[in-house]
Amino acid sequence: MFAVDFEILIAAVLLFIGILSSMLSPRLGLPMLVLFLIVGMLAGEAGIGGIAFDDAQAAHAMGTLALAIILFDGGLQTSKAAIKMAWKPASLLATVGVAITAGITGIAAATILGIPPLVGLLLGAIVGSTDAAAVFSILRGAGINISPRLKSTLEIESASNDPMAIFLTVGLLGLITSKMTPGMEMVWLFVKQMGIGALAGLGIGWLAVKLINRLKLIAAGLYPVLVAVCGTLAFGVAAALDGSGFLATFIAGAIIGNSRFVYQHATFLFLDGLAWLSQIAMFVMLGLLVNPPSLLEVWAEGLLIAVILVFVARPLAVAPMLAFSRFNLREITMISWVGLRGSVPIILAIFPLLFGIAEAGLVFNVVFFVVLISATLQGSSLPWVARKLKLIEPPVPSVSKKLEIPSLGDVESDLVEIKLNASCKVIGRSLDELPLPLEVDIAMLIRNNKVVTPQSHPVLAVNDYLFMTVQPRLHGYVNTLFSSVERAEKSGLERRAALFHGDVTLGELAQFYDLDLSPNDGTTLTSLVSKQRHPVQLSVGTFARVTDAEITDTMVRFSPAPY
């Protein structure tokens, strides 16, 4: 048996155990990253596995690649609407907020540990950023439904604040080792890191979308791989030009994820799985790297620094940044609490080992302990804190499931699947009674495993499956029409234009889109608009404003459209 064969076996066993440990997360109330770290520590030289691993260079290389994949996947899943909604507060938290957190924590660490001020600030910079993998997995996997703006702010901040922490860490290491002087050299480093990273991400993300839709690859499985390669390419190009690779890969992911390209659904599934694999491998490896007995030597100091970070530094960094935002006190408190530390601080804690500074071992052990405390305390209590702050919201109605159209990349509409349950508002109505916009077409209805043609005008029943083509901007209409709730959440739908048949009545629109009109109102859109010489200016309740109404032979256009 070759040495590499045994190493592959060990890696597979550790990953297998790591995947199984994720099933314990909901039962134990611990974030998955803590469980992955525990698996690595138990398998390490001081644990029951006895595996010796102390290669800081290999840990840094593997951790950097894994983190790049995680951030790229985070960018893919970040919608354009979320970025528009939260970029201002998130960018402040990701830059100035990280610097404030690093400064307060660093001064406290220097005092508590008795180390030089610059080394203390270095420790503060290392733990200054929140962890994207931890925040994504908890907010998206723990069933915590908070307001879209609050959730977007937390996710975008965690995904974009790593470059600032890396800049501070590299800059302080340069000052400590006398390879850099304070002043304009530090300013230039910041501008170069952020500027090159942003440009590389924008450029490669744009080129990737154009390339993916033009290429005709010989195998469908190569398209998700190509997208993943584009993400790592963005990181590599930015890093090679002395820019921030992490910022570049996140921006490239956001551009690709908000574009339409061939095999999009399969790509998202592939990258999601790859990100999970990277997360498990990274945390298990970092668990192997640490020596648990050495953590006991700094537990008191580490605990005190963690308390200052969580209860002092993070709130003092968040509150001023959001003081003039539209967030209320409860939401600001929530953002302060969601300051989970994870893989990034541990990876950055390897930097002092690589630079060979005298306090490198102490810094690494303290950082690891702080991460364990932060992830365990904040991560496990996050659902409880959200409930206590009364920030839990009912989920926005969404009943449609997007399907893949793999053969074409530039199709204007999505193919969606809808299963009707007993509480759906459309049960008992025929298909021709539904006020569907013209851009929504029923393709097929499945009942009792048999195809029912839409032309037969079937009456909809429980457990029917509907397949339809929907333009992306009209997903909100479809979710509202087939929703099982009595009243749609206004915040969940976009105010977009839609085209209806002229024989659709106001009563039908009122019933399905929650307009303040009588369901018995038989006034058709044609008769409504034909009475007007000029474009209609009609306010209906609080959910719709009809403007720019125009009539042709059989169609009426409303913009913005009613909910």
Side-chain angles (χ1 to χ4, degrees):
M1 189 180 197
F2 294 104
V4 67
D5 299 335
F6 181 73
E7 291 170 359
I8 291 174
L9 174 62
I10 294 299
V13 170
L14 289 176
L15 289 174
F16 183 74
I17 296 173
I19 292 171
L20 292 182
S21 69
S22 65
M23 300 170 61
L24 299 175
S25 179
R27 298 181 181 181
L28 299 178
L30 289 175
M32 282 178 283
L33 71 90
V34 175
L35 296 177
F36 299 154
L37 286 173
I38 292 175
V39 170
M41 293 167 67
L42 290 175
E45 190 172 10
I48 59 178
I51 301 174
F53 179 76
D54 58 357
D55 191 339
Q57 291 279 2
H60 173 254
M62 293 172 61
T64 299
L65 177 60
L67 184 60
I69 294 173
I70 292 169
L71 288 175
F72 182 64
D73 180 63
L76 285 175
Q77 298 187 46
T78 302
S79 68
K80 186 187 299 183
I83 295 174
K84 289 181 178 179
M85 191 184 306
W87 74 269
K88 288 182 180 180
S91 60
L92 284 174
L93 293 173
T95 51
V96 182
V98 171
I100 294 174
T101 302
I104 296 173
T105 307
I107 293 172
T111 304
I112 294 169
L113 298 173
I115 55 179
L118 279 180
V119 178
L121 289 174
L122 173 64
L123 193 153
I126 289 173
V127 299
S129 67
T130 58
D131 187 76
V135 172
F136 286 164
S137 64
I138 290 177
L139 290 182
R140 296 178 180 180
I144 303 174
N145 194 67
I146 54 180
S147 71
R149 185 167 185 257
L150 181 58
K151 181 180 179 182
S152 299
T153 300
L154 291 169
E155 291 187 347
I156 295 174
E157 179 213 358
S158 67
S160 60
N161 61 11
D162 297 333
M164 185 65 179
I166 295 170
F167 157 73
L168 292 174
T169 300
V170 173
L172 287 166
L173 282 170
L175 296 178
I176 292 171
T177 57
S178 301
K179 295 181 180 179
M180 188 179 297
T181 56
M184 289 306 298
E185 195 171 358
M186 289 282 288
V187 175
W188 171 240
L189 176 65
F190 176 81
V191 173
K192 185 169 63 173
Q193 283 268 309
M194 304 303 172
I196 294 176
L199 290 175
L202 289 169
I204 293 179
W206 182 81
L207 288 173
V209 175
K210 299 297 182 183
L211 182 66
I212 293 165
N213 284 330
R214 289 179 180 272
L215 290 179
K216 299 296 182 182
L217 300 178
I218 61 173
L222 288 175
Y223 286 95
V225 176
L226 176 61
V227 174
V229 169
C230 290
T232 55
L233 182 65
F235 180 93
V237 169
L241 298 174
D242 291 332
S244 172
F246 295 111
L247 180 62
T249 192
F250 176 76
I251 291 177
I255 292 175
I256 296 173
N258 285 283
S259 304
R260 295 176 63 81
F261 56 90
V262 67
Y263 292 100
Q264 189 172 40
H265 184 63
T267 298
F268 286 166
L269 288 177
F270 173 79
L271 265 300
D272 187 55
L274 191 60
W276 272 109
L277 176 63
S278 301
Q279 188 177 163
I280 295 171
M282 176 173 58
F283 285 124
V284 171
M285 177 202 65
L286 293 174
L288 285 172
L289 187 64
V290 73
N291 182 22
S294 64
L295 297 180
L296 299 177
E297 300 174 2
V298 296
W299 74 268
E301 295 88 347
L303 180 61
L304 185 56
I305 293 172
V307 168
I308 293 173
L309 171 65
V310 172
F311 294 99
V312 180
R314 172 71 176 176
L316 288 179
V318 168
M321 297 300 101
L322 303 181
F324 300 102
S325 68
R326 289 179 293 169
F327 291 113
N328 56 42
L329 182 59
R330 292 180 292 111
E331 292 172 324
I332 293 175
T333 303
M334 180 69 173
I335 294 173
S336 298
W337 191 249
V338 188
L340 285 80
R341 270 58 191 176
S343 58
V344 175
I346 302 177
I347 292 173
L348 291 182
I350 300 174
F351 281 34
L353 297 172
L354 301 178
F355 276 72
I357 68 172
E359 300 84 0
L362 175 63
V363 169
F364 182 85
N365 290 331
V366 171
V367 167
F368 198 99
F369 192 88
V370 169
V371 168
L372 278 178
I373 296 298
S374 170
T376 303
L377 175 64
Q378 295 172 288
S380 60
S381 63
L382 191 54
W384 180 83
V385 171
R387 286 193 296 269
K388 286 296 181 182
L389 293 173
K390 298 180 180 180
L391 294 174
I392 300 293
E393 296 186 353
V396 174
S398 179
V399 296
S400 61
K401 177 183 178 182
K402 184 179 175 183
L403 303 177
E404 185 76 82
I405 307 179
S407 58
L408 299 173
D410 295 324
V411 180
E412 294 182 354
S413 296
D414 295 324
L415 179 64
V416 300
E417 170 195 347
I418 296 175
K419 180 181 179 182
L420 304 183
N421 57 43
S423 60
C424 286
K425 294 183 289 186
V426 298
I427 296 297
R429 296 180 177 273
S430 64
L431 280 179
D432 55 347
E433 290 182 297
L434 304 183
L436 289 172
L438 294 182
E439 299 96 331
V440 177
D441 292 310
I442 305 294
M444 184 170 56
L445 187 150
I446 303 294
R447 178 177 296 164
N448 298 326
N449 297 324
K450 295 181 179 179
V451 176
V452 180
T453 61
Q455 290 76 14
S456 64
H457 308 297
V459 175
L460 297 174
V462 178
N463 294 326
D464 281 354
Y465 284 87
L466 280 173
F467 296 85
M468 59 183 66
T469 57
V470 182
Q471 289 196 0
R473 62 186 180 83
L474 294 177
H475 279 290
Y477 283 97
V478 173
N479 285 332
T480 302
L481 180 60
F482 295 94
S483 173
S484 60
V485 295
E486 290 298 325
R487 189 171 183 85
E489 289 289 330
K490 180 180 177 182
S491 60
L493 303 177
E494 296 182 359
R495 301 179 67 87
R496 298 295 183 90
L499 197 64
F500 289 94
H501 280 286
D503 58 0
V504 172
T505 68
L506 292 180
E508 290 173 332
L509 290 175
Q511 180 171 352
F512 288 105
Y513 296 118
D514 296 318
L515 298 177
D516 190 15
L517 289 171
S518 170
N520 298 320
D521 192 333
T523 305
T524 65
L525 298 182
T526 299
S527 61
L528 171 68
V529 180
S530 62
K531 298 175 182 178
Q532 305 293 326
R533 286 188 174 183
H534 304 289
V536 178
Q537 294 287 340
L538 176 64
S539 295
V540 184
T542 58
F543 281 82
R545 181 176 296 278
V546 180
T547 61
D548 299 328
E550 61 183 56
I551 184 169
T552 61
D553 291 339
T554 59
M555 297 178 293
V556 179
R557 180 182 296 276
F558 285 87
S559 174
Y563 291 125

